[in-house]
Protein backbone atom coordinates (compact mmCIF):
# COMPACT_ATOMS: atom_id res chain seq x y z
CA UNK A 1 0.00 0.00 0.00
CA UNK A 2 1.50 3.37 -0.99
CA UNK A 3 1.46 6.54 1.11
CA UNK A 4 -1.63 7.97 -0.55
CA UNK A 5 -3.57 4.70 -0.12
CA UNK A 6 -2.47 4.45 3.50
CA UNK A 7 -3.71 7.97 4.14
CA UNK A 8 -7.05 7.20 2.53
CA UNK A 9 -7.50 4.03 4.59
CA UNK A 10 -7.13 5.89 7.88
CA UNK A 11 -10.29 6.90 9.72
CA UNK A 12 -9.51 10.45 10.80
CA UNK A 13 -11.76 13.21 11.99
CA UNK A 14 -11.29 16.78 13.11
CA UNK A 15 -10.36 20.04 11.39
CA UNK A 16 -7.21 18.69 9.72
CA UNK A 17 -8.58 15.36 8.50
CA UNK A 18 -8.39 14.51 4.77
CA UNK A 19 -11.33 15.85 2.80
CA UNK A 20 -13.70 13.28 1.31
CA UNK A 21 -13.97 14.93 -2.09
CA UNK A 22 -12.09 15.03 -5.40
CA UNK A 23 -8.52 16.20 -4.96
CA UNK A 24 -8.05 19.97 -5.10
CA UNK A 25 -5.54 21.31 -7.63
CA UNK A 26 -2.66 23.21 -6.06
CA UNK A 27 -0.38 25.53 -7.98
CA UNK A 28 2.88 26.53 -6.31
CA UNK A 29 4.59 29.84 -7.03
CA UNK A 30 8.27 29.30 -6.27
CA UNK A 31 10.69 26.47 -6.96
CA UNK A 32 13.21 26.69 -4.13
CA UNK A 33 13.69 24.59 -1.00
CA UNK A 34 10.34 25.47 0.58
CA UNK A 35 8.40 24.88 -2.64
CA UNK A 36 10.10 21.53 -3.16
CA UNK A 37 9.36 20.48 0.39
CA UNK A 38 5.70 21.52 0.12
CA UNK A 39 5.34 19.57 -3.13
CA UNK A 40 6.79 16.51 -1.42
CA UNK A 41 4.28 16.88 1.41
CA UNK A 42 1.34 17.24 -0.96
CA UNK A 43 2.39 14.07 -2.79
CA UNK A 44 1.44 12.20 0.40
CA UNK A 45 -1.98 13.85 0.78
CA UNK A 46 -5.00 12.14 -0.76
CA UNK A 47 -7.07 15.29 -1.13
CA UNK A 48 -4.62 17.57 -3.01
CA UNK A 49 -2.47 17.37 -6.13
CA UNK A 50 0.33 19.65 -7.32
CA UNK A 51 -0.71 20.56 -10.86
CA UNK A 52 1.57 23.51 -11.67
CA UNK A 53 4.82 25.00 -10.35
CA UNK A 54 5.86 28.50 -11.38
CA UNK A 55 9.58 29.19 -11.63
CA UNK A 56 11.57 32.14 -12.95
CA UNK A 57 14.50 29.85 -13.75
CA UNK A 58 15.04 27.63 -16.74
CA UNK A 59 12.34 25.00 -16.21
CA UNK A 60 14.89 22.24 -16.79
CA UNK A 61 16.63 23.20 -13.55
CA UNK A 62 13.53 22.40 -11.48
CA UNK A 63 11.79 19.57 -13.32
CA UNK A 64 13.44 16.79 -11.30
CA UNK A 65 11.98 18.17 -8.07
CA UNK A 66 8.30 18.30 -9.05
CA UNK A 67 5.68 16.06 -10.70
CA UNK A 68 6.17 15.54 -14.42
CA UNK A 69 4.86 18.29 -16.64
CA UNK A 70 4.08 20.73 -13.85
CA UNK A 71 6.96 23.23 -14.06
CA UNK A 72 6.24 26.39 -16.02
CA UNK A 73 7.41 29.98 -16.53
CA UNK A 74 3.85 31.12 -17.24
CA UNK A 75 1.73 32.81 -14.57
CA UNK A 76 -1.33 32.29 -16.77
CA UNK A 77 -0.67 28.54 -16.95
CA UNK A 78 -0.29 28.35 -13.18
CA UNK A 79 -3.56 30.19 -12.55
CA UNK A 80 -5.54 28.30 -15.19
CA UNK A 81 -4.52 24.91 -13.82
CA UNK A 82 -5.13 25.59 -10.13
CA UNK A 83 -7.92 25.81 -7.58
CA UNK A 84 -5.49 27.04 -4.91
CA UNK A 85 -2.34 29.09 -5.52
CA UNK A 86 0.32 28.79 -2.83
CA UNK A 87 2.91 31.58 -3.05
CA UNK A 88 6.27 30.85 -1.42
CA UNK A 89 8.82 32.61 -3.63
CA UNK A 90 10.02 34.94 -0.85
CA UNK A 91 9.95 37.88 -3.28
CA UNK A 92 7.23 40.45 -2.59
CA UNK A 93 7.38 42.11 -6.02
CA UNK A 94 7.16 38.87 -7.99
CA UNK A 95 4.59 37.42 -5.59
CA UNK A 96 2.33 40.43 -6.11
CA UNK A 97 2.04 39.80 -9.83
CA UNK A 98 1.10 36.17 -9.18
CA UNK A 99 -1.33 36.90 -6.35
CA UNK A 100 -3.14 39.66 -8.26
CA UNK A 101 -3.62 37.47 -11.33
CA UNK A 102 -4.76 34.51 -9.25
CA UNK A 103 -7.01 36.65 -7.06
CA UNK A 104 -8.69 38.23 -10.09
CA UNK A 105 -9.39 34.72 -11.36
CA UNK A 106 -11.09 33.79 -8.09
CA UNK A 107 -8.44 31.37 -6.88
CA UNK A 108 -7.90 30.74 -3.19
CA UNK A 109 -4.59 32.26 -2.13
CA UNK A 110 -2.16 30.93 0.47
CA UNK A 111 1.13 32.62 1.19
CA UNK A 112 4.18 31.41 3.01
CA UNK A 113 5.63 34.79 2.27
CA UNK A 114 5.53 37.37 5.06
CA UNK A 115 7.33 39.74 2.67
CA UNK A 116 4.32 39.74 0.34
CA UNK A 117 1.76 39.88 3.13
CA UNK A 118 3.35 42.92 4.77
CA UNK A 119 3.80 44.69 1.43
CA UNK A 120 0.52 44.01 -0.40
CA UNK A 121 -1.57 41.66 1.76
CA UNK A 122 -3.79 44.48 3.00
CA UNK A 123 -4.53 45.76 -0.50
CA UNK A 124 -5.39 42.25 -1.70
CA UNK A 125 -7.60 41.66 1.32
CA UNK A 126 -9.44 44.92 0.63
CA UNK A 127 -10.11 43.70 -2.90
CA UNK A 128 -11.97 40.77 -1.40
CA UNK A 129 -9.51 38.09 -2.41
CA UNK A 130 -9.52 34.86 -0.42
CA UNK A 131 -6.02 35.10 1.09
CA UNK A 132 -4.29 33.76 4.19
CA UNK A 133 -0.79 33.21 5.51
CA UNK A 134 0.03 29.53 6.01
CA UNK A 135 0.54 27.48 9.12
CA UNK A 136 4.12 26.54 9.88
CA UNK A 137 6.17 29.69 9.57
CA UNK A 138 6.43 31.80 12.73
CA UNK A 139 3.48 34.15 12.03
CA UNK A 140 1.21 31.18 11.33
CA UNK A 141 2.45 29.48 14.49
CA UNK A 142 1.60 32.58 16.51
CA UNK A 143 -1.90 32.67 15.04
CA UNK A 144 -2.55 29.03 15.87
CA UNK A 145 -1.07 29.27 19.38
CA UNK A 146 -3.07 32.45 20.04
CA UNK A 147 -6.28 30.62 19.13
CA UNK A 148 -5.42 27.91 21.64
CA UNK A 149 -4.46 30.46 24.29
CA UNK A 150 -7.70 32.41 23.97
CA UNK A 151 -9.72 29.19 24.05
CA UNK A 152 -8.17 28.58 27.49
CA UNK A 153 -9.00 32.17 28.58
CA UNK A 154 -5.44 33.43 28.34
CA UNK A 155 -5.01 36.98 27.05
CA UNK A 156 -1.92 37.25 24.78
CA UNK A 157 0.47 39.95 25.93
CA UNK A 158 3.69 39.41 23.92
CA UNK A 159 4.26 37.37 20.77
CA UNK A 160 7.88 36.25 21.21
CA UNK A 161 9.77 34.97 18.17
CA UNK A 162 12.60 32.76 19.44
CA UNK A 163 15.87 32.95 17.51
CA UNK A 164 19.19 31.26 18.17
CA UNK A 165 21.47 33.89 16.65
CA UNK A 166 21.52 37.36 15.07
CA UNK A 167 24.25 39.49 13.47
CA UNK A 168 22.96 42.80 12.14
CA UNK A 169 25.93 43.40 9.84
CA UNK A 170 27.18 40.04 8.52
CA UNK A 171 30.01 39.88 5.99
CA UNK A 172 29.53 38.43 2.48
CA UNK A 173 32.14 35.68 2.87
CA UNK A 174 30.58 34.62 6.17
CA UNK A 175 27.14 34.41 4.56
CA UNK A 176 28.51 32.49 1.59
CA UNK A 177 29.99 29.89 3.95
CA UNK A 178 26.74 29.37 5.86
CA UNK A 179 24.61 29.40 2.73
CA UNK A 180 26.70 26.60 1.25
CA UNK A 181 26.63 24.67 4.52
CA UNK A 182 22.86 24.93 4.91
CA UNK A 183 21.96 24.49 1.25
CA UNK A 184 20.03 27.77 0.89
CA UNK A 185 20.79 30.97 -0.99
CA UNK A 186 23.14 33.66 0.30
CA UNK A 187 20.24 36.08 0.16
CA UNK A 188 18.03 33.92 2.40
CA UNK A 189 20.89 33.29 4.80
CA UNK A 190 21.61 37.01 5.07
CA UNK A 191 17.95 37.92 5.64
CA UNK A 192 17.77 35.38 8.46
CA UNK A 193 21.06 36.46 10.01
CA UNK A 194 20.66 40.25 9.98
CA UNK A 195 17.14 40.03 11.41
CA UNK A 196 15.27 41.34 8.36
CA UNK A 197 13.16 38.20 8.09
CA UNK A 198 12.49 38.17 11.84
CA UNK A 199 11.37 41.80 11.80
CA UNK A 200 8.98 41.17 8.89
CA UNK A 201 7.55 38.12 10.65
CA UNK A 202 6.82 40.25 13.70
CA UNK A 203 5.29 43.02 11.59
CA UNK A 204 2.85 40.52 10.08
CA UNK A 205 2.17 39.04 13.52
CA UNK A 206 1.44 42.48 14.97
CA UNK A 207 -0.88 43.55 12.16
CA UNK A 208 -2.64 40.20 11.90
CA UNK A 209 -3.22 39.63 15.61
CA UNK A 210 -4.04 43.17 16.69
CA UNK A 211 -0.79 43.89 18.50
CA UNK A 212 1.68 46.76 18.33
CA UNK A 213 5.40 47.17 18.86
CA UNK A 214 7.14 48.64 21.88
CA UNK A 215 9.74 50.48 19.81
CA UNK A 216 11.30 50.67 16.36
CA UNK A 217 13.36 47.54 15.73
CA UNK A 218 11.62 45.78 18.66
CA UNK A 219 13.00 45.27 22.18
CA UNK A 220 14.77 41.96 21.56
CA UNK A 221 17.42 40.84 24.00
CA UNK A 222 19.20 37.58 24.82
CA UNK A 223 17.92 35.10 27.40
CA UNK A 224 19.20 31.91 28.98
CA UNK A 225 15.78 30.62 30.03
CA UNK A 226 12.18 31.27 28.99
CA UNK A 227 11.46 32.23 32.58
CA UNK A 228 13.60 35.34 32.00
CA UNK A 229 11.05 37.07 29.73
CA UNK A 230 9.51 39.34 32.37
CA UNK A 231 11.17 42.36 30.73
CA UNK A 232 9.10 41.84 27.56
CA UNK A 233 5.93 41.50 29.61
CA UNK A 234 6.83 44.78 31.30
CA UNK A 235 7.40 46.41 27.89
CA UNK A 236 3.88 45.35 26.89
CA UNK A 237 2.37 46.76 30.09
CA UNK A 238 4.16 50.05 29.46
CA UNK A 239 2.89 50.08 25.87
CA UNK A 240 -0.67 49.64 27.04
CA UNK A 241 -1.45 46.57 24.97
CA UNK A 242 -0.16 43.41 23.34
CA UNK A 243 3.14 43.68 21.45
CA UNK A 244 5.04 41.67 18.87
CA UNK A 245 8.72 41.09 19.69
CA UNK A 246 11.53 38.53 19.87
CA UNK A 247 14.28 37.07 22.04
CA UNK A 248 17.60 35.49 21.12
CA UNK A 249 17.64 32.16 22.94
CA UNK A 250 20.87 30.26 22.13
CA UNK A 251 20.30 26.55 22.47
CA UNK A 252 16.57 26.99 22.86
CA UNK A 253 13.85 25.59 20.59
CA UNK A 254 13.36 27.32 17.21
CA UNK A 255 9.72 28.02 17.92
CA UNK A 256 7.45 30.74 19.24
CA UNK A 257 6.19 31.70 22.67
CA UNK A 258 3.28 33.81 23.84
CA UNK A 259 3.44 35.65 27.13
CA UNK A 260 -0.09 35.93 28.44
CA UNK A 261 -2.15 36.92 31.44
CA UNK A 262 -5.12 34.95 32.77
CA UNK A 263 -7.50 35.59 35.65
CA UNK A 264 -8.66 32.00 35.21
CA UNK A 265 -5.16 30.57 35.64
CA UNK A 266 -4.53 32.95 38.56
CA UNK A 267 -7.44 31.34 40.38
CA UNK A 268 -5.44 28.08 40.68
CA UNK A 269 -2.30 29.31 42.49
CA UNK A 270 -1.39 25.90 43.86
CA UNK A 271 -1.84 23.94 40.62
CA UNK A 272 1.70 22.99 39.65
CA UNK A 273 1.03 22.56 35.92
CA UNK A 274 -0.08 26.20 35.71
CA UNK A 275 2.44 27.56 38.21
CA UNK A 276 5.31 26.20 36.07
CA UNK A 277 4.20 28.40 33.19
CA UNK A 278 4.89 31.59 35.13
CA UNK A 279 7.86 33.78 34.27
CA UNK A 280 10.46 34.18 37.00
CA UNK A 281 9.01 37.41 38.40
CA UNK A 282 5.45 36.28 37.79
CA UNK A 283 4.59 38.97 35.25
CA UNK A 284 3.03 36.55 32.78
CA UNK A 285 2.45 32.96 31.78
CA UNK A 286 4.63 31.58 28.98
CA UNK A 287 2.93 29.35 26.42
CA UNK A 288 5.38 27.65 24.06
CA UNK A 289 5.25 26.00 20.68
CA UNK A 290 8.78 24.53 20.54
CA UNK A 291 8.91 24.03 16.77
CA UNK A 292 7.78 25.43 13.44
CA UNK A 293 7.73 22.75 10.78
CA UNK A 294 7.17 25.22 7.94
CA UNK A 295 6.36 23.09 4.88
CA UNK A 296 4.89 20.16 6.86
CA UNK A 297 2.19 22.26 8.53
CA UNK A 298 0.85 23.63 5.25
CA UNK A 299 -1.54 20.66 5.05
CA UNK A 300 -3.58 22.31 7.80
CA UNK A 301 -3.91 25.51 5.79
CA UNK A 302 -4.88 23.70 2.61
CA UNK A 303 -7.76 21.98 4.38
CA UNK A 304 -8.92 25.13 6.13
CA UNK A 305 -9.15 27.17 2.93
CA UNK A 306 -10.86 24.29 1.12
CA UNK A 307 -13.51 24.30 3.83
CA UNK A 308 -13.94 28.06 3.33
CA UNK A 309 -12.98 28.72 6.93
CA UNK A 310 -11.78 32.19 8.01
CA UNK A 311 -8.13 32.97 7.18
CA UNK A 312 -5.55 31.88 9.72
CA UNK A 313 -3.67 35.18 9.46
CA UNK A 314 -3.60 38.23 7.20
CA UNK A 315 -1.92 41.63 7.38
CA UNK A 316 -5.27 43.13 8.36
CA UNK A 317 -7.40 45.81 6.79
CA UNK A 318 -5.77 48.67 8.72
CA UNK A 319 -2.14 47.77 9.48
CA UNK A 320 -0.25 49.85 12.04
CA UNK A 321 3.27 48.51 11.54
CA UNK A 322 5.54 48.09 8.52
CA UNK A 323 9.18 47.24 7.80
CA UNK A 324 11.64 50.09 7.32
CA UNK A 325 14.99 49.72 5.54
CA UNK A 326 17.96 50.68 7.71
CA UNK A 327 21.22 51.53 5.92
CA UNK A 328 24.05 49.12 6.85
CA UNK A 329 27.03 50.78 5.16
CA UNK A 330 27.77 54.17 3.56
CA UNK A 331 25.83 54.44 0.30
CA UNK A 332 27.11 57.18 -2.05
CA UNK A 333 24.70 59.06 -4.28
CA UNK A 334 23.73 56.96 -7.29
CA UNK A 335 24.29 53.61 -5.56
CA UNK A 336 22.24 50.79 -7.08
CA UNK A 337 20.67 48.67 -4.34
CA UNK A 338 20.57 45.40 -6.22
CA UNK A 339 19.12 43.49 -3.27
CA UNK A 340 17.07 45.04 -0.49
CA UNK A 341 15.95 42.14 1.67
CA UNK A 342 18.90 39.80 2.19
CA UNK A 343 21.48 42.18 0.73
CA UNK A 344 24.44 43.98 2.28
CA UNK A 345 23.24 47.57 1.84
CA UNK A 346 20.18 47.63 4.10
CA UNK A 347 18.36 45.54 6.69
CA UNK A 348 14.75 45.54 7.86
CA UNK A 349 13.29 46.92 11.08
CA UNK A 350 9.72 47.00 12.34
CA UNK A 351 8.40 50.56 12.56
CA UNK A 352 5.04 52.18 13.26
CA UNK A 353 3.28 53.52 10.17
CA UNK A 354 2.00 56.55 12.05
CA UNK A 355 4.51 59.32 11.42
CA UNK A 356 6.41 57.17 8.92
CA UNK A 357 4.14 56.94 5.89
CA UNK A 358 7.06 58.06 3.71
CA UNK A 359 9.36 55.13 4.49
CA UNK A 360 10.21 52.69 1.71
CA UNK A 361 9.70 49.08 2.86
CA UNK A 362 12.80 46.93 2.49
CA UNK A 363 10.77 44.57 0.28
CA UNK A 364 10.52 47.23 -2.45
CA UNK A 365 14.19 48.23 -2.65
CA UNK A 366 15.46 45.70 -5.20
CA UNK A 367 16.78 47.80 -8.09
CA UNK A 368 16.36 51.13 -6.27
CA UNK A 369 19.00 53.84 -6.70
CA UNK A 370 20.01 56.39 -4.09
CA UNK A 371 19.39 60.05 -4.91
CA UNK A 372 22.02 61.28 -2.43
CA UNK A 373 24.49 59.79 0.04
CA UNK A 374 23.05 57.75 2.92
CA UNK A 375 24.90 57.00 6.13
CA UNK A 376 24.68 53.82 8.26
CA UNK A 377 21.66 53.84 10.54
CA UNK A 378 19.55 56.07 8.29
CA UNK A 379 15.96 55.08 7.51
CA UNK A 380 15.33 54.95 3.76
CA UNK A 381 12.48 57.29 2.83
CA UNK A 382 10.74 58.28 -0.40
CA UNK A 383 13.03 61.25 -1.02
CA UNK A 384 16.18 59.15 -0.63
CA UNK A 385 15.78 56.69 -3.50
CA UNK A 386 14.20 56.08 -6.87
CA UNK A 387 12.20 52.88 -6.55
CA UNK A 388 11.20 50.74 -9.55
CA UNK A 389 7.62 51.30 -10.67
CA UNK A 390 5.92 48.00 -9.79
CA UNK A 391 2.45 46.76 -8.95
CA UNK A 392 3.75 45.92 -5.48
CA UNK A 393 4.86 49.50 -4.87
CA UNK A 394 1.49 50.86 -5.99
CA UNK A 395 -0.47 48.42 -3.82
CA UNK A 396 1.69 49.16 -0.79
CA UNK A 397 0.85 52.86 -1.06
CA UNK A 398 -2.80 51.94 -1.57
CA UNK A 399 -2.76 49.92 1.65
CA UNK A 400 -1.72 53.02 3.64
CA UNK A 401 -4.95 54.81 2.72
CA UNK A 402 -7.95 54.62 5.06
CA UNK A 403 -10.16 51.66 4.21
CA UNK A 404 -13.11 52.61 2.03
CA UNK A 405 -16.67 51.41 2.41
CA UNK A 406 -16.34 49.60 -0.91
CA UNK A 407 -13.33 47.67 0.39
CA UNK A 408 -15.21 46.74 3.56
CA UNK A 409 -18.09 45.32 1.55
CA UNK A 410 -15.70 43.33 -0.67
CA UNK A 411 -13.98 41.78 2.35
CA UNK A 412 -17.27 40.92 4.07
CA UNK A 413 -18.48 39.25 0.88
CA UNK A 414 -15.29 37.22 0.59
CA UNK A 415 -15.50 35.94 4.15
Amino acid sequence: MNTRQTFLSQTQSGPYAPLRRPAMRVGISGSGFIARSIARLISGLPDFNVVSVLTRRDTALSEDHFPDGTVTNSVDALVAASDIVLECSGDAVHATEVLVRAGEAGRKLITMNCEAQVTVGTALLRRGYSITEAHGDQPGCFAELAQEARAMLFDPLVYVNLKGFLNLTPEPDEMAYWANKQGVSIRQTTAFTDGSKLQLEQVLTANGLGAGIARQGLVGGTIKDLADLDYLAEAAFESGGAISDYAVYPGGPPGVAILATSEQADSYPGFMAIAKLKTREGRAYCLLKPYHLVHLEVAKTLRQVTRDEPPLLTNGLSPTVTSAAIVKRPLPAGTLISEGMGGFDVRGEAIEIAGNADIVPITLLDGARTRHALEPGAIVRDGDVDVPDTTAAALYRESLLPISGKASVAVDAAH
Side-chain angles (χ1 to χ4, degrees):
M1 183 179 293
N2 63 31
T3 303
R4 186 175 291 267
Q5 291 170 330
T6 300
F7 219 117
L8 282 168
S9 70
Q10 296 173 342
T11 56
Q12 292 180 291
S13 60
Y16 304 136
L19 303 170
R20 304 297 177 178
R21 59 187 296 171
M24 296 288 283
R25 303 172 301 162
V26 180
I28 299 175
S29 173
S31 57
F33 172 76
I34 293 298
R36 296 171 186 178
S37 300
I38 289 173
R40 192 175 304 121
L41 167 78
I42 293 175
S43 71
L45 302 178
D47 38 350
F48 299 94
N49 287 319
V50 174
V51 294
S52 186
V53 177
L54 179 66
T55 183
R56 286 171 287 173
R57 308 168 185 168
D58 182 338
T59 58
L61 298 176
S62 298
E63 288 174 344
D64 289 344
H65 302 283
F66 299 100
D68 291 345
T70 60
V71 181
T72 180
N73 294 134
S74 169
V75 177
D76 289 337
L78 174 83
V79 173
S82 308
D83 301 309
I84 299 170
V85 171
L86 199 162
E87 217 300 321
C88 57
S89 68
D91 182 327
V93 173
H94 169 70
T96 298
E97 301 298 333
V98 176
L99 293 170
V100 167
R101 299 268 278 281
E104 288 174 346
R107 304 300 184 257
K108 296 178 183 295
L109 309 178
I110 298 174
T111 61
M112 185 168 283
N113 190 333
C114 64
E115 297 89 340
Q117 281 281 358
V118 168
T119 309
V120 301
T122 293
L124 300 184
L125 190 65
R126 289 180 181 183
R127 291 186 177 194
Y129 295 169
S130 173
I131 183 170
T132 181
E133 184 73 355
H135 291 77
D137 215 355
Q138 285 89 337
C141 289
F142 279 125
E144 189 172 28
L145 186 56
Q147 290 175 356
E148 295 180 6
R150 292 192 176 99
M152 296 184 288
L153 301 185
F154 285 94
D155 294 316
L157 185 64
V158 188
Y159 299 96
V160 189
N161 198 327
L162 300 174
K163 295 298 183 187
F165 176 78
L166 286 177
N167 176 3
L168 302 187
T169 55
E171 295 296 328
D173 56 350
E174 177 187 9
M175 293 297 91
Y177 169 81
W178 285 107
N180 182 65
K181 187 176 180 67
Q182 296 171 345
V184 297
S185 70
I186 294 177
R187 188 168 187 178
Q188 286 178 307
T189 304
T190 304
F192 297 151
T193 302
D194 73 4
S196 296
K197 182 76 169 180
L198 156 68
Q199 297 277 333
L200 271 163
E201 289 167 349
Q202 296 315 101
V203 168
L204 175 56
T205 299
N207 290 334
L209 297 179
I213 58 173
R215 66 182 66 156
Q216 178 187 322
L218 311 179
V219 176
T222 300
I223 60 173
K224 293 182 179 179
D225 191 287
L226 288 174
D228 298 328
L229 287 171
D230 286 282
Y231 72 99
L232 286 182
E234 188 59 36
F237 290 132
E238 292 177 359
S239 296
I243 62 173
S244 178
D245 220 290
Y246 75 94
V248 177
Y249 186 16
V256 300
I258 293 179
L259 299 182
T261 58
S262 173
E263 293 182 3
Q264 185 75 10
D266 289 345
S267 68
Y268 296 94
F271 187 28
M272 188 61 68
I274 292 178
K276 285 184 175 181
L277 298 178
K278 277 280 191 178
T279 51
R280 200 173 307 283
E281 296 174 14
R283 303 293 283 161
Y285 296 93
C286 183
L287 307 178
L288 174 68
K289 182 176 180 181
Y291 61 88
H292 56 99
L293 299 181
V294 192
H295 52 278
L296 295 181
E297 298 189 55
V298 171
K300 295 184 284 189
T301 322
L302 289 167
R303 290 181 178 134
Q304 282 194 348
V305 301
T306 303
R307 291 188 173 100
D308 294 320
E309 295 177 6
L312 173 71
L313 185 71
T314 71
N315 199 54
L317 292 172
S318 301
T320 60
V321 189
T322 189
S323 180
I326 308 299
V327 177
K328 288 183 181 179
R329 65 180 183 86
L331 300 179
T335 297
L336 175 66
I337 302 175
S338 59
E339 295 179 333
M341 183 90 167
F344 296 95
D345 296 325
V346 294
R347 61 179 177 81
E349 276 193 358
I351 192 170
E352 291 184 345
I353 293 173
N356 293 292
D358 64 339
I359 70 99
V360 181
I362 190 171
T363 54
L364 296 177
L365 281 179
D366 285 15
R369 192 176 295 274
T370 60
R371 294 179 179 175
H372 52 80
L374 295 174
E375 295 301 317
I379 298 174
V380 179
R381 300 183 183 274
D382 287 334
D384 298 326
V385 290
D386 290 313
V387 176
D389 184 14
T390 63
T391 303
L395 290 185
Y396 174 75
R397 292 301 170 198
E398 181 182 307
S399 72
L400 298 182
L401 301 174
I403 184 171
S404 67
K406 181 179 179 181
S408 297
V409 170
V411 172
D412 289 342
H415 300 287

